[in-house]
Amino acid sequence: NAGVMQNPRHLVRRRGQEARLRCSPMKGHSHVYWYRQLPEEGLKFMVYLQKENIIDESGMPKERFSAEFPKEGPSILRIQQVVRGDSAAYFCASSPQAGNTEAFFGQGTRLTVV
Amino acid sequence: DAKTTQPPSMDCAEGRAANLPCNHSTISGNEYVYWYRQIHSQGPQYIIHGLKNNETNEMASLIITEDRKSSTLILPHATLRDTAVYYCIVRVVDGGGSQGNLIFGKGTKLSVKP
């Protein structure tokens, strides 16, 4: 059973470009969480999604950031018009259901904006 | 915001038990205590979780006080590979939505020394 897969592992974008980060949850998992970790800082919650639904996006910046988890395929975190401050590690986690289950994390995508 | 308080750093001698404390004095009856760790810049790794009874698995033991206001993660025989940041998290179990989120604090940086 493969773990949570994130790709790409490293992504370089120029200022103003778009970044698309993909997260394939573990088999049978229908809940996905995205986190951002700035250099030397802790993990900050961004968004929680179930299949085709955004459950909680209270941690998402109001502009340029969006997330989806379609019925088929991976979850996508999209950052439009990237700026240098978006440089960070982005982690996703998945769980089979909310509540008393552990969430498993991927190895992250390291975004560098130049 | 995180509902837990942990010491920022701890040292432990290799082969000795590492005891990592966590205060969660405002924990609610429907909140579990979860522990994760992050080794260097890898994705967070699930360790253990519990509600009120002590728990043990192949990685660690979790001791929760009777009033549930604090807990201790025990790594019985720490190795150099256990050097990591350890996060104690309280998480509502009741259902979906934001209640299922894992909100990370600053954690404890454990350094295992030879």
Side-chain angles (χ1 to χ4, degrees):
Chain A
N1 187 11
V4 178
M5 303 300 292
Q6 290 188 249
N7 66 82
R9 292 293 306 277
H10 300 274
L11 181 63
V12 179
R13 284 287 178 266
R14 295 186 184 277
R15 281 178 294 171
Q17 291 185 320
E18 178 180 285
R20 281 183 179 242
L21 288 64
R22 287 177 291 277
C23 171
S24 296
M26 290 179 69
K27 186 177 181 180
H29 287 194
S30 58
H31 295 242
V32 166
Y33 310 80
W34 284 93
Y35 292 80
R36 177 166 64 175
Q37 188 170 34
L38 296 171
E40 305 303 321
E41 294 190 12
L43 291 110
K44 299 297 184 185
F45 166 75
M46 299 182 75
V47 63
Y48 162 37
L49 310 103
Q50 292 180 27
K51 287 282 189 180
E52 301 184 279
N53 288 307
I54 295 176
I55 304 302
D56 180 3
E57 55 182 349
S58 59
M60 287 279 271
K62 295 287 186 258
E63 298 177 346
R64 301 187 298 109
F65 285 72
S66 62
E68 63 177 7
F69 189 16
K71 186 177 181 181
E72 300 292 337
S75 176
I76 306 289
L77 179 67
R78 182 184 178 202
I79 311 172
Q80 296 177 290
Q81 300 175 324
V82 296
V83 300
R84 288 211 171 122
D86 297 332
S87 295
Y90 293 82
F91 293 97
C92 82
S94 73
S95 67
Q97 62 189 47
N100 181 23
T101 57
E102 52 268 42
F104 295 94
F105 282 79
Q107 290 304 304
T109 293
R110 276 143 189 88
L111 172 66
T112 301
V113 180
V114 297
Chain B
D1 289 345
K3 295 178 64 175
T4 60
T5 304
Q6 299 177 253
S9 64
M10 290 182 63
D11 290 342
C12 178
E14 187 178 19
R16 303 297 293 270
N19 297 286
L20 292 93
C22 179
N23 286 322
H24 30 79
S25 57
T26 61
I27 193 169
S28 301
N30 62 352
E31 288 181 317
Y32 276 61
V33 179
Y34 281 73
W35 283 83
Y36 280 78
R37 72 180 182 183
Q38 188 174 28
I39 297 174
H40 194 46
S41 298
Q42 298 178 20
Q45 178 186 22
Y46 166 80
I47 300 174
I48 199 168
H49 74 282
L51 180 63
K52 53 184 178 181
N53 297 321
N54 297 338
E55 302 287 345
T56 295
N57 62 21
E58 64 278 4
M59 288 184 68
S61 295
L62 174 61
I63 309 298
I64 302 174
T65 58
E66 191 169 345
D67 64 6
R68 302 211 321 123
K69 293 186 177 182
S70 65
S71 60
T72 301
L73 179 74
I74 302 172
L75 307 178
H77 305 287
T79 71
L80 299 179
R81 288 177 292 183
D82 292 322
T83 292
V85 178
Y86 287 77
Y87 296 97
C88 169
I89 301 163
V90 294
R91 185 191 194 198
V92 173
V93 173
D94 279 347
S98 61
Q99 296 171 337
N101 289 347
L102 293 162
I103 306 298
F104 287 78
K106 296 184 183 300
T108 296
K109 186 173 184 179
L110 176 68
S111 298
V112 180
K113 300 183 182 299

